[in-house]
Amino acid sequence: MVTVRYWAGARAAAGQEQEAVDASTVGELLSVLGARPPLARVLTASSLLVDGEAVRREDVGHQLPAGSTVDVLPPFAGG
């Protein structure tokens, strides 16, 4: 299990601030989260941080150790 924390528009799309997800790779995580249409749209433009380190969505084989925290960061607007 990993903890997924949602920020800004990702939080609105997920309908919650954070949740526990059973996934051991970035690909598995994106598959689970992408099954939710509002969140799937946001994920296509979001950045991921795994325990504070940037991970590309294309790195589907990137391992997510049990207990990891994944932050979903959609693009932010502002100056």
Side-chain angles (χ1 to χ4, degrees):
M1 296 294 272
V2 297
T3 300
V4 181
R5 297 188 304 189
Y6 301 104
W7 300 93
R11 180 180 293 168
Q16 55 192 337
E17 209 171 291
Q18 70 178 33
E19 67 178 307
V21 177
D22 188 14
S24 60
T25 66
V26 167
E28 287 178 9
L29 178 66
L30 293 176
S31 179
V32 169
L33 300 180
R36 303 178 204 159
L39 188 52
R41 286 189 295 275
V42 173
L43 284 174
T44 61
S46 294
S47 299
L48 301 176
L49 295 179
V50 177
D51 293 331
E53 294 187 31
V55 174
R56 295 179 18 197
R57 291 184 313 278
E58 295 80 19
D59 293 337
V60 294
H62 185 90
Q63 294 293 307
L64 300 175
S68 294
T69 299
V70 179
D71 292 300
V72 178
L73 305 166
F76 292 91

